[in-house]
Amino acid sequence: MLCTRCRIRTAVTDDGLCTFCSGTRPPLPDGLMAPVAGPGGWGVATWPRSPVGLARAVTALLGLVIAADLFAIGTGLRLRALWQGLVTDGSLDIYGRDGDTAERLYGIAALAQGVTLLATGVVFIIWFHRTRRNAEVFDPSVQRMGPGWAVGGWFVPIANFWFPYRVASGVWEASAQTRPDGGWRTVPRTPLNLWWAAWVASLLFTRVTERMWDRAEDPEGIVQAGGLVAASDAVDIVAAVLAILYVRAVTGMQVERVLHGRAPGVPASAPAPGAPR
């Protein structure tokens, strides 16, 4: 059974706590990860906190984002088809019941996108900040920006295209998995790089297409903008899928890092903190 507090280590006490959380931890052998955080500013924990629960919540919310985007694509293409009929053969369906229904459903889809994106963004940033705090415990020497930037970096104009990536890069490096012999292995940053590239592309594409949609006044312009908005939603789906892979990768590495509990180069014979002796 996992510890009821950290949800990472095995519970060893009657009240469901591990040796760390219960305060009964035996002395650490030389080389094991010490329970002292390096310099990193406010909010740095002494021990890593499990990101698993938050990761599950982020994954579920990203699934809702994908569902909302698919709904928006379907309703948007239907609305675009009605406008296309007006352009090509003079069909007036866009001004009838079909058009009213299509516009109403498209409005509902846009609202669903906004709500799910806001909720996902809040929970994702909480997860992101927790993994950054954990990274400070794992290895503060590879952190390029303080833990506060895991939150604030998203809200700085222009810099938000780069600051969160720098934070994520330090988290990835500090969370790298240990080999069975206790050494260190480099984990390819493919999930991180692909997610960030897709996120930036989605952000830029969305801004451009929303501006085109707002400025479209004639049927031809609406048809063109509607197609680009649907394409933008498709890019957003790709970014959401890659975000799920990134969240799972970082969470998995941090859990494994804690379970190993040893610094690079420590022999595998040295037990991890909290491990039975």
Side-chain angles (χ1 to χ4, degrees):
M1 183 181 73
L2 292 179
C3 173
T4 57
R5 179 176 299 173
C6 68
R7 306 299 300 172
I8 293 180
R9 307 173 190 87
T10 302
V12 296
T13 64
D14 294 337
D15 53 353
L17 299 178
C18 65
T19 54
F20 291 144
C21 295
S22 64
T24 60
R25 174 182 57 82
L28 295 177
D30 291 340
L32 293 187
M33 186 176 61
V36 178
W42 60 270
V44 178
T46 301
W47 289 106
R49 296 180 62 193
S50 174
V52 174
L54 286 171
R56 290 172 179 169
V58 172
T59 300
L61 287 169
L62 284 169
L64 292 179
V65 168
I66 293 172
D69 284 337
L70 289 172
F71 182 40
I73 290 175
T75 56
L77 290 179
R78 173 57 181 163
L79 184 62
R80 179 179 182 273
L82 292 175
W83 281 106
Q84 183 68 49
L86 177 64
V87 172
T88 56
D89 55 23
S91 172
L92 298 178
D93 289 343
I94 186 62
Y95 297 114
R97 180 177 300 178
D98 289 345
D100 291 340
T101 301
E103 289 185 356
R104 184 166 56 253
L105 290 175
Y106 191 57
I108 293 174
L111 178 62
Q113 283 181 301
V115 171
T116 55
L117 184 61
L118 177 61
T120 303
V122 170
V123 179
F124 178 88
I125 290 176
I126 295 173
W127 170 86
F128 194 61
H129 183 251
R130 176 166 297 187
T131 58
R132 173 59 185 83
R133 291 173 64 189
N134 289 346
E136 192 76 22
V137 180
F138 297 151
D139 190 352
S141 67
V142 298
Q143 304 310 313
R144 299 165 180 83
M145 305 190 75
W149 286 110
V151 178
W154 298 95
F155 302 101
V156 180
I158 307 300
N160 57 8
F161 286 99
W162 179 244
F163 281 6
Y165 179 82
R166 286 177 59 83
V167 175
S169 180
V171 171
W172 188 277
E173 189 171 349
S175 307
Q177 302 170 17
T178 52
R179 296 197 304 260
D181 63 356
W184 204 257
R185 73 169 179 241
T186 300
V187 181
R189 300 190 184 191
T190 304
L192 167 60
N193 294 333
L194 288 178
W195 160 66
W196 188 251
W199 160 253
V200 172
S202 174
L203 191 63
L204 294 175
F205 200 2
T206 298
R207 290 181 180 179
V208 172
T209 55
E210 285 181 348
R211 186 171 302 177
M212 290 185 61
W213 178 262
D214 292 338
R215 292 180 177 178
E217 297 179 353
D218 54 59
E220 291 83 357
I222 294 175
V223 169
Q224 181 182 11
L228 291 176
V229 169
S232 173
D233 290 336
V235 174
D236 190 56
I237 290 175
V238 173
V241 171
L242 292 173
I244 291 174
L245 297 178
Y246 164 71
V247 168
R248 290 174 60 88
V250 172
T251 301
M253 287 195 300
Q254 291 208 344
V255 170
E256 185 174 351
R257 179 73 174 85
V258 170
L259 291 177
H260 278 77
R262 55 173 67 90
V266 177
S269 58
R277 295 180 175 229

